[in-house]
Amino acid sequence: MSDKQPNQYLDESQHVGLVESLSYIHKDLFELENGQLDGFTLAYEAYGTLNEDGSNALLVCHALTGDHHAAGIRKDPRTEDLEQKPGWWNHVIGPGKAIDTNKFYVVCSNCLGACQGSTGPASLKPDQEEERYGMDFPEFTIHDMVHAQKKLLEHLGVQKLFAVVGGSMGGMQTLQWIVDYPSFVERGLVIAATPRHSAQTIAFNEVGRQAIRGDEAWNQGGYDTENGPTHGLGVARMMAHITYLSDLGMEKKFRQKPDCKQNEDLTKVVNSYLGYQAQKFIDRFDANTYLKLTSALDRFDLVGKRGLDDSLKGVLSKVLVIAFSSDWLYTPAQNQLVTESLHRLGKEASYLEIDHTHGHDSFLIGSEDFLRAVRVFFSGMDKKEEREQNLGRFRQVSSRYDVKKEADFKVIDEWVSKGQRVLDLGCGRGILLEYLRDSKQVQGLGVDFDRSKAISCIARGVSVYQQDIRHALANLPDDSFDWVIFSRMVEELPEPGAVILEALRVGKRVAVSFVNHAYWRNRLNFLRRGKRVQNEVYPHRWEQSGLRNHFSIEEFEQFCAESQGHGHSFEIGRKVFHQGDWVKHCTLMPNLRSGLAIYELIKA
Amino acid sequence: MSDKQPNQYLDESQHVGLVESLSYIHKDLFELENGQLDGFTLAYEAYGTLNEDGSNALLVCHALTGDHHAAGIRKDPRTEDLEQKPGWWNHVIGPGKAIDTNKFYVVCSNCLGACQGSTGPASLKPDQEEERYGMDFPEFTIHDMVHAQKKLLEHLGVQKLFAVVGGSMGGMQTLQWIVDYPSFVERGLVIAATPRHSAQTIAFNEVGRQAIRGDEAWNQGGYDTENGPTHGLGVARMMAHITYLSDLGMEKKFRQKPDCKQNEDLTKVVNSYLGYQAQKFIDRFDANTYLKLTSALDRFDLVGKRGLDDSLKGVLSKVLVIAFSSDWLYTPAQNQLVTESLHRLGKEASYLEIDHTHGHDSFLIGSEDFLRAVRVFFSGMDKKEEREQNLGRFRQVSSRYDVKKEADFKVIDEWVSKGQRVLDLGCGRGILLEYLRDSKQVQGLGVDFDRSKAISCIARGVSVYQQDIRHALANLPDDSFDWVIFSRMVEELPEPGAVILEALRVGKRVAVSFVNHAYWRNRLNFLRRGKRVQNEVYPHRWEQSGLRNHFSIEEFEQFCAESQGHGHSFEIGRKVFHQGDWVKHCTLMPNLRSGLAIYELIKA
């Protein structure tokens, strides 16, 4: 080590500290989807300690051009000096971090077929001293990568994975893991991935491959390592690099530089930035490996001929999919496909969309929401969060139903039976679903558009789809839930009638709770003052208020009757009316005397 | 001509028919921004007839790799056979089409610096028989292209352009035209363009250029025409081609093909499609020209050091900017920059966003909304549209103010003075602004989010920004309008108080008309029945209704008083109250007796 300042990454209270690259050598014949290998090596790193029953292991999968150095600081193998930069996910993995090495035994391997120490196209053929695989290397797949990682984990004594996590190609490996080894993986965290490449993504990869193959130095893959197709590889990298960023992110990055006000100057800066990226890549990556790896990505296809649901039907893991708003390579919509398929199949799956301007590469960059989501998915709420959220927690207030916010929860709680499937539309922080799960082993799914609330659901262990209610409902099969719940949220929907009828398609029963706008105090108040009452239920004056769609018990029943008349087969079951205090029950003249109504609609 | 079926494009009642490529030869020295040319040639086509005073000319500008063959059918110069395909905008230009050759004399030239007959890098140097310009060709600019086109138009006897129109690079030429020759151009139609390239666009171009320059055959630009850098040019084209499409558009295009269900097969199809595109391009385009043209695009920068407003401050043309929803190369936001600058400068400018899945290339493809927008911008409403729209036209009903829809228009009409500047938020089909313009020479700007309504505004000659009201207001300078009008649309805004105060920043006076929710019949109805009245004003029942934010006269006045208390300097000027019939005036107890209220707010 040199006599520099002590390296901050060596501080083991903050980081995983000094790490070294290890190798697992698999000596036996290894069957691939398209061919076989006469043994292979996987380079890997591991952080934290495997517990006695081998159940706290967490596998991290890297992206296309990443490697197994995910956290901590390494020595440069040539100089023995500490490297300048820590591993690529050092801000995520470490003691007390989102992936907590005090809790988890974290393993990251360079994937099979890559070129940072694992066996791939750039490796020497077995028992050869000079001849490399090159294009003779089999057309390996994401499945092969995962299969090889499984061998490594067995070697390390891992009995079961607490979780697999990865972004981009790492996310696809995660998907492959939960498909191939359902009972081995408890949780899967899929980040910025896709169940298959879109035509656009394939097209970009194809252009990159053509740039390499058209470079004369490529020589049908038979270049020698010192004289590879650097031009083609550089062009492929530069183009791909653009797809990892975003239009807005690039504007922010470059326009803030001095002397980049005019495009004439900006062009030079962009030119030199891309050239630098290309050179860094050429120095560390191999062209044939790039060809084979991008082909493996393009070939990855969980949709295929039989559809995504068929691929995912055996999944047993609890899944969280995280997408980034500005990711135009693996878009939020592509990520949603995974969650939606799992929901159709009745699996435990959640979806979050994190706001970030960095495009696809956002998963490599810390952001508060992202780190919180990762942490709570693996470790639940921390004590601070529990304190903050306890106030609103159903289990805390279940003896005080006078809290207006949850006045309808008691009724719904009574209606729902043990082990039923419940869809909560506008689920907020997941308080009701958490309670129903803990008290009645209900299988719940929440839908809420609010990211912060959705993350709180994850922290509670409640599955949530961060999505518009209409969009979420449209995905779900007929009769796939015992209950669909609208807890005081119909008022916030434009044209809510159609949504209620759609809920009746998805659920066997629908519970609708709403504020009865025809409550006598509202009427008198409006008669006298000509304006809406302002209280806990209507907290804002018109000029600060969001838009609403108030209705009354009578109007609701009229809607039900007319819908039935139009051929919608359901009937009104139980009804519960609360008085203006939302506590005492009300039986006489509810449209006049009731402040809160809760209806059960039963599909015929 | 061969003995094939009669070619449909020869039918001159439908198309411009047989066309031929003409050449304008400029013999004098021609100064460029960076250098000079010893004369130049422009290839061009022209359709229709120039009228006697030379005022019906319409210039069409082509995109990066386009040419002057915009419409009609040509003979192949080698075989003398008719070509298979008509010009690239044949569906837009022709007798009775959106650009009507019965009305307009339409000119399209291959731009200076291109390679389809005009002088550019692929041309022979003057007085040389073999030596081409190549990379010695000056670094020409969009300004130079426009300057050369001006010479052509002078040669053709054009005294003034009725309009310039172009998409993509053609849109940038259009922008340059209205900047460079403000009094020469009456109308500018800018389609899918940008005032300057974003960093991402520059980066894509830079990768394309590096692909060409890194191809050994490029030879510093000194290739001979038969052995150019076809590999590099092909890679550049394939990559650029992806940026002209969209993710969704490509999925639609490829997934519907037989045997493209699995990505393995799709990859082959995409590969062959890209290869085909590359080959077509290599056959017709020149690599040095591609380098110089893309550099001209990257260098084009109306924002520059001094800002877009400074570049556009001299514009006199009436401008329409059209963007496409799926265009991620020149995004809607980039197109909006142009309109917003013109609005800040108080110019006549409109913006439309057309829904289309084809990405940037949508401008080359017909769609009903697009063709209608182009047509009405150049020719106004046709008779059928006039008939359809007359019913709701203000000028028709100005004697029948009892039409509820326009009950507040009469009052606002009385308040607005001759020649004032009026911003109409939620302007609908532009009926009020058309009337105020015709009767009072008001300079109006409408804002409406609805595309169809916005196109109707264009047809009326009313400037319109198809945009969210908040977004549009935020762009406008303080005191830039004499009047800002909310005609019965505050009810549709969430948190409307802030929007009204923002309108008071932008306008000197604000007119707010609204349905008084405290009207006695509403009160009595609600008291008696506990639900909202259903009539012309509230046409839908709750379950089919959009969201609303009703308020009353008293509430509005309370909001004004409190805003004044919080330091917002304005006062309430005139107020007009209509009774429940929206006809008779109401003076006593308006909060109880009035159905419609119109307020004037005056900034101090």
Side-chain angles (χ1 to χ4, degrees):
Chain A
M1 256 184 74
S2 71
D3 52 1
K4 285 176 196 156
Q5 288 285 313
N7 187 301
Q8 58 161 317
Y9 301 111
L10 291 178
D11 177 355
E12 293 189 4
S13 68
Q14 304 289 323
H15 305 283
V16 299
L18 189 66
V19 297
E20 61 177 322
S21 182
L22 306 166
S23 285
Y24 161 64
I25 298 170
H26 184 87
K27 291 192 175 149
D28 303 333
L29 191 78
F30 186 69
E31 292 290 340
L32 304 175
E33 279 197 269
N34 311 303
Q36 55 184 39
L37 287 175
D38 198 9
F40 66 83
T41 300
L42 286 191
Y44 72 97
E45 290 184 7
Y47 328 111
T49 311
L50 187 64
N51 62 12
E52 278 192 15
D53 60 357
S55 67
N56 69 334
L58 192 153
L59 178 71
V60 173
C61 304
H62 66 74
L64 174 63
T65 65
D67 60 29
H68 52 294
H69 181 38
I73 194 87
R74 274 195 314 204
K75 284 184 181 170
D76 184 308
R78 286 161 302 185
T79 62
E80 286 287 298
D81 278 353
L82 287 176
E83 290 183 345
Q84 291 287 309
K85 284 187 177 174
W88 54 270
W89 242 18
N90 191 63
H91 56 290
V92 178
I93 304 166
K97 295 186 187 179
I99 295 178
D100 190 347
T101 48
N102 293 332
K103 287 186 183 170
F104 301 114
Y105 173 61
V106 180
V107 179
C108 182
S109 88
N110 190 216
C111 67
L112 185 75
C115 55
Q116 308 293 331
S118 294
T119 300
S123 306
L124 293 172
K125 288 184 176 176
D127 308 321
Q128 299 281 328
E129 288 193 10
E130 288 199 6
E131 201 192 342
R132 294 172 189 277
Y133 278 108
M135 294 306 284
D136 293 341
F137 198 81
E139 293 294 324
F140 61 97
T141 64
I142 302 286
H143 163 81
D144 298 330
M145 294 179 195
V146 165
H147 189 192
Q149 283 166 337
K150 180 74 163 38
K151 298 289 177 197
L152 163 64
L153 293 175
E154 285 167 8
H155 160 78
L156 293 172
V158 172
Q159 301 299 313
K160 188 169 181 154
L161 278 172
F162 173 75
V164 185
V165 51
S168 195
M169 187 179 87
M172 295 187 227
Q173 289 169 70
T174 305
L175 285 169
Q176 192 74 55
W177 262 105
I178 63 175
V179 166
D180 288 351
Y181 303 103
S183 54
F184 189 76
V185 182
E186 250 174 71
R187 281 163 199 246
L189 174 48
V190 178
I191 306 168
T194 177
R196 69 166 169 195
H197 274 181
S198 71
Q200 179 178 286
T201 305
I202 289 174
F204 274 123
N205 277 342
E206 189 54 40
V207 175
R209 288 189 293 263
Q210 294 221 20
I212 293 169
R213 289 198 301 256
D215 185 332
E216 285 187 17
W218 179 59
N219 187 27
Q220 305 302 313
Y223 53 87
D224 86 60
T225 39
E226 300 305 303
N227 298 298
T230 52
H231 167 59
L233 185 60
V235 167
R237 174 59 169 184
M238 288 188 285
M239 186 192 58
H241 190 76
I242 301 170
T243 70
Y244 303 152
L245 308 176
S246 77
D247 197 18
L248 183 61
M250 287 186 82
E251 280 291 290
K252 280 192 180 168
K253 183 186 188 78
F254 290 109
R255 294 275 179 209
Q256 68 186 14
K257 291 189 195 259
D259 301 323
C260 270
K261 285 222 155 178
Q262 284 178 296
N263 268 12
E264 185 126 27
D265 306 317
L266 185 71
T267 304
K268 290 173 202 149
V269 174
V270 169
N271 184 357
S272 110
Y273 172 80
L274 289 171
Y276 171 75
Q277 293 294 337
Q279 192 55 53
K280 265 205 321 188
F281 190 64
I282 292 163
D283 291 345
R284 72 183 175 85
F285 222 83
D286 167 63
N288 288 334
T289 306
Y290 191 80
L291 294 177
K292 297 263 179 183
L293 269 174
T294 55
S295 294
L297 281 174
D298 286 346
R299 207 178 298 115
F300 176 74
D301 187 354
L302 294 180
V303 183
K305 271 192 181 155
R306 289 184 307 183
L308 188 53
D309 292 7
D310 193 70
S311 297
L312 299 180
K313 66 186 178 202
V315 169
L316 297 172
S317 319
K318 185 165 182 169
V319 176
L320 169 60
V321 176
I322 298 181
F324 295 96
S325 54
S326 60
D327 186 348
W328 60 277
L329 186 67
Y330 301 152
T331 60
Q334 287 174 34
N335 281 278
Q336 286 163 15
L337 293 176
V338 172
T339 317
E340 292 190 350
S341 171
L342 292 168
H343 288 164
R344 284 193 299 271
L345 293 161
K347 313 277 183 187
E348 269 194 283
S350 294
Y351 171 83
L352 293 175
E353 186 174 320
I354 306 287
D355 229 9
H356 210 303
T357 59
H358 273 75
H360 181 62
D361 269 357
S362 297
F363 80 93
L364 294 170
I365 295 161
S367 84
E368 201 179 322
D369 279 344
F370 174 67
L371 292 174
R372 182 168 169 240
V374 173
R375 181 167 53 75
V376 299
F377 182 61
F378 292 138
S379 305
M381 267 187 257
D382 65 16
K383 289 202 173 121
K384 180 167 160 278
E385 276 170 324
E386 267 193 44
R387 266 199 313 277
E388 282 169 12
Q389 301 231 350
N390 257 350
L391 250 179
R393 272 188 120 184
F394 190 55
R395 62 175 68 169
Q396 304 297 314
V397 296
S398 52
S399 58
R400 310 172 41 231
Y401 282 112
D402 52 340
V403 173
K404 280 207 171 184
K405 260 170 98 174
E406 290 158 15
D408 52 349
F409 287 2
K410 184 185 179 187
V411 177
I412 293 164
D413 177 29
E414 281 169 8
W415 291 354
V416 172
S417 308
K418 235 182 163 90
Q420 287 192 314
R421 290 184 48 74
V422 177
L423 175 66
D424 187 358
L425 299 173
C427 65
R429 301 195 178 274
I431 294 165
L432 176 62
L433 286 177
E434 181 192 36
Y435 179 77
L436 293 173
R437 179 198 63 205
D438 293 350
S439 62
K440 298 190 170 166
Q441 295 78 54
V442 147
Q443 297 176 59
L445 172 62
V447 177
D448 208 293
F449 204 70
D450 184 288
R451 179 182 311 111
S452 160
K453 289 180 182 168
I455 297 176
S456 292
C457 289
I458 309 283
R460 290 195 156 78
V462 166
S463 292
V464 65
Y465 190 9
Q466 185 199 331
Q467 182 57 279
D468 173 76
I469 283 174
R470 279 185 170 77
H471 183 132
L473 266 178
N475 169 61
L476 294 166
D478 295 2
D479 301 323
S480 51
F481 284 86
D482 297 299
W483 281 99
V484 180
I485 293 168
F486 294 92
S487 170
R488 298 211 287 117
M489 73 87 45
V490 169
E491 295 92 324
E492 297 178 25
L493 296 173
E495 298 162 42
V499 183
I500 294 172
L501 294 175
E502 177 73 354
L504 272 162
R505 178 187 66 75
V506 169
K508 295 173 188 160
R509 281 155 202 257
V510 172
V512 183
S513 84
F514 58 92
V515 174
N516 174 35
H517 198 51
Y519 176 54
W520 67 273
R521 280 188 195 275
N522 289 353
R523 301 194 198 195
L524 276 188
N525 179 75
F526 187 60
L527 177 74
R528 198 161 55 92
R529 299 154 47 93
K531 61 184 179 188
R532 205 171 61 189
V533 67
Q534 213 183 326
N535 56 25
E536 300 139 296
V537 183
Y538 311 102
H540 299 295
R541 291 227 312 257
W542 71 278
E543 71 266 24
Q544 295 173 329
S545 170
L547 299 168
R548 287 289 181 280
N549 208 332
H550 294 296
F551 58 100
S552 64
I553 287 171
E554 193 183 297
E555 284 172 293
F556 184 76
E557 295 219 353
Q558 188 183 6
F559 157 71
C560 290
E562 291 189 9
S563 300
Q564 289 158 346
H566 285 91
H568 294 279
S569 304
F570 69 95
E571 56 190 52
I572 295 177
R574 287 163 281 189
K575 332 175 184 184
V576 174
F577 305 116
H578 285 239
Q579 294 184 20
D581 60 0
W582 292 25
V583 179
K584 289 195 265 326
H585 279 248
C586 160
T587 40
L588 266 177
M589 292 195 292
N591 196 46
L592 192 65
R593 293 180 56 241
S594 164
L596 181 76
I598 306 126
Y599 274 79
E600 177 190 33
L601 308 181
I602 307 168
K603 187 152 57 182
Chain B
M1 258 184 75
S2 70
D3 53 0
K4 286 178 198 154
Q5 288 286 310
N7 187 300
Q8 57 161 318
Y9 300 112
L10 291 179
D11 176 356
E12 293 190 5
S13 68
Q14 303 289 322
H15 304 284
V16 299
L18 188 66
V19 297
E20 60 177 323
S21 182
L22 305 166
S23 284
Y24 161 63
I25 298 169
H26 184 86
K27 290 194 174 146
D28 303 334
L29 190 78
F30 186 68
E31 292 290 340
L32 303 174
E33 278 196 272
N34 311 302
Q36 56 184 37
L37 288 175
D38 199 9
F40 66 84
T41 300
L42 287 192
Y44 71 97
E45 290 184 6
Y47 328 111
T49 312
L50 187 64
N51 63 12
E52 278 194 13
D53 61 358
S55 65
N56 70 332
L58 192 152
L59 178 70
V60 173
C61 304
H62 66 74
L64 175 61
T65 64
D67 60 29
H68 53 293
H69 181 39
I73 194 85
R74 274 196 313 203
K75 284 183 182 171
D76 184 307
R78 286 162 302 185
T79 62
E80 286 286 297
D81 278 353
L82 288 176
E83 290 183 346
Q84 291 289 308
K85 284 188 177 175
W88 54 270
W89 242 18
N90 191 64
H91 55 291
V92 178
I93 304 166
K97 296 188 187 179
I99 295 178
D100 189 349
T101 47
N102 292 332
K103 285 185 184 171
F104 301 114
Y105 174 61
V106 179
V107 179
C108 182
S109 88
N110 190 217
C111 67
L112 185 74
C115 56
Q116 308 293 333
S118 295
T119 301
S123 306
L124 293 171
K125 286 184 176 176
D127 307 323
Q128 299 280 331
E129 286 192 12
E130 289 200 6
E131 201 190 341
R132 294 173 189 277
Y133 278 108
M135 294 306 284
D136 292 343
F137 198 82
E139 292 295 322
F140 61 96
T141 64
I142 302 286
H143 163 81
D144 298 330
M145 294 178 194
V146 164
H147 189 191
Q149 283 166 335
K150 180 72 162 41
K151 297 289 179 198
L152 164 64
L153 293 176
E154 285 167 9
H155 161 77
L156 294 173
V158 172
Q159 302 298 310
K160 188 167 181 157
L161 278 172
F162 173 74
V164 184
V165 52
S168 197
M169 187 179 87
M172 295 186 228
Q173 290 170 70
T174 305
L175 285 168
Q176 192 75 53
W177 262 105
I178 63 174
V179 166
D180 288 351
Y181 303 103
S183 55
F184 190 77
V185 182
E186 249 174 75
R187 280 163 200 246
L189 173 50
V190 178
I191 305 167
T194 176
R196 68 166 170 194
H197 275 181
S198 71
Q200 178 177 288
T201 306
I202 289 174
F204 275 123
N205 276 342
E206 189 54 37
V207 175
R209 288 189 293 262
Q210 294 220 23
I212 293 169
R213 289 197 303 255
D215 185 332
E216 284 186 17
W218 180 60
N219 185 28
Q220 306 302 312
Y223 53 87
D224 86 60
T225 37
E226 301 305 303
N227 298 296
T230 52
H231 168 59
L233 185 60
V235 167
R237 174 59 169 185
M238 289 189 283
M239 184 191 60
H241 190 77
I242 302 169
T243 70
Y244 304 152
L245 306 177
S246 76
D247 197 17
L248 184 60
M250 287 185 80
E251 281 291 291
K252 281 191 179 168
K253 185 187 188 76
F254 291 109
R255 293 272 180 212
Q256 68 186 17
K257 291 187 195 263
D259 300 324
C260 269
K261 284 222 157 178
Q262 282 178 296
N263 269 11
E264 185 125 27
D265 307 315
L266 185 71
T267 303
K268 289 172 203 151
V269 175
V270 169
N271 184 355
S272 111
Y273 172 80
L274 289 171
Y276 171 75
Q277 293 295 336
Q279 193 55 52
K280 265 205 323 187
F281 190 63
I282 291 164
D283 290 345
R284 71 182 176 87
F285 221 83
D286 166 64
N288 288 333
T289 304
Y290 191 80
L291 294 177
K292 297 261 179 185
L293 269 175
T294 56
S295 294
L297 281 174
D298 286 346
R299 208 180 293 115
F300 177 74
D301 187 354
L302 294 179
V303 183
K305 271 191 179 153
R306 289 183 306 184
L308 188 53
D309 292 7
D310 195 71
S311 297
L312 299 180
K313 67 187 177 200
V315 168
L316 297 171
S317 319
K318 185 165 183 167
V319 176
L320 169 61
V321 177
I322 297 180
F324 296 95
S325 53
S326 61
D327 186 348
W328 60 278
L329 186 67
Y330 302 153
T331 60
Q334 287 174 34
N335 281 279
Q336 287 163 14
L337 293 176
V338 172
T339 317
E340 293 191 350
S341 172
L342 292 168
H343 288 163
R344 286 192 299 272
L345 293 161
K347 314 276 184 189
E348 271 194 281
S350 295
Y351 171 84
L352 293 175
E353 187 173 319
I354 306 289
D355 231 8
H356 211 302
T357 58
H358 274 76
H360 181 62
D361 269 357
S362 297
F363 79 94
L364 293 171
I365 296 162
S367 85
E368 200 180 323
D369 278 345
F370 174 67
L371 292 174
R372 179 166 172 241
V374 173
R375 180 167 54 74
V376 300
F377 182 60
F378 291 139
S379 305
M381 268 187 255
D382 66 16
K383 288 201 175 122
K384 177 164 162 282
E385 275 171 324
E386 267 193 48
R387 265 198 314 277
E388 281 168 11
Q389 301 230 348
N390 257 351
L391 252 179
R393 273 189 118 181
F394 190 56
R395 63 176 67 171
Q396 304 297 315
V397 296
S398 53
S399 57
R400 310 175 39 232
Y401 283 112
D402 53 341
V403 174
K404 277 207 174 186
K405 257 171 101 176
E406 290 158 16
D408 51 350
F409 287 2
K410 184 186 178 187
V411 176
I412 292 165
D413 177 29
E414 280 169 9
W415 290 355
V416 172
S417 307
K418 233 181 164 97
Q420 286 193 317
R421 287 183 50 74
V422 177
L423 176 66
D424 187 357
L425 299 172
C427 64
R429 301 196 178 273
I431 295 165
L432 176 62
L433 285 177
E434 181 191 38
Y435 179 77
L436 292 174
R437 180 197 64 205
D438 293 348
S439 62
K440 297 189 169 166
Q441 294 79 53
V442 148
Q443 296 176 59
L445 172 62
V447 177
D448 208 293
F449 205 71
D450 184 289
R451 178 183 311 111
S452 159
K453 290 181 180 167
I455 297 177
S456 293
C457 289
I458 308 283
R460 290 197 155 77
V462 166
S463 292
V464 65
Y465 189 9
Q466 185 199 332
Q467 182 57 279
D468 173 76
I469 283 175
R470 279 184 170 77
H471 184 132
L473 266 179
N475 168 60
L476 294 166
D478 295 1
D479 301 323
S480 52
F481 284 86
D482 296 301
W483 282 98
V484 180
I485 293 167
F486 294 92
S487 170
R488 299 210 286 118
M489 72 88 45
V490 169
E491 294 93 324
E492 297 179 24
L493 296 173
E495 298 163 41
V499 183
I500 294 172
L501 295 175
E502 178 72 355
L504 273 163
R505 179 188 67 74
V506 169
K508 295 172 187 159
R509 281 155 203 256
V510 172
V512 183
S513 84
F514 59 92
V515 173
N516 175 35
H517 198 51
Y519 177 54
W520 67 273
R521 279 189 196 274
N522 290 353
R523 300 195 200 195
L524 276 188
N525 179 76
F526 188 60
L527 177 73
R528 200 160 54 90
R529 298 154 47 93
K531 60 183 178 186
R532 208 171 59 191
V533 65
Q534 212 183 327
N535 56 26
E536 300 141 299
V537 182
Y538 310 103
H540 299 296
R541 290 226 313 256
W542 70 278
E543 72 266 25
Q544 294 175 329
S545 169
L547 298 168
R548 288 289 181 280
N549 207 333
H550 295 297
F551 58 100
S552 64
I553 288 171
E554 193 183 296
E555 284 172 294
F556 184 74
E557 295 219 352
Q558 188 183 8
F559 157 70
C560 290
E562 290 188 10
S563 300
Q564 289 158 347
H566 285 92
H568 294 279
S569 304
F570 69 94
E571 55 191 53
I572 295 177
R574 287 164 281 190
K575 333 176 185 183
V576 173
F577 305 116
H578 285 237
Q579 295 183 20
D581 59 0
W582 292 27
V583 178
K584 290 195 265 324
H585 278 249
C586 159
T587 42
L588 266 177
M589 295 192 293
N591 196 47
L592 192 65
R593 294 181 54 242
S594 164
L596 182 75
I598 307 125
Y599 274 79
E600 176 190 34
L601 307 181
I602 307 169
K603 186 151 59 182

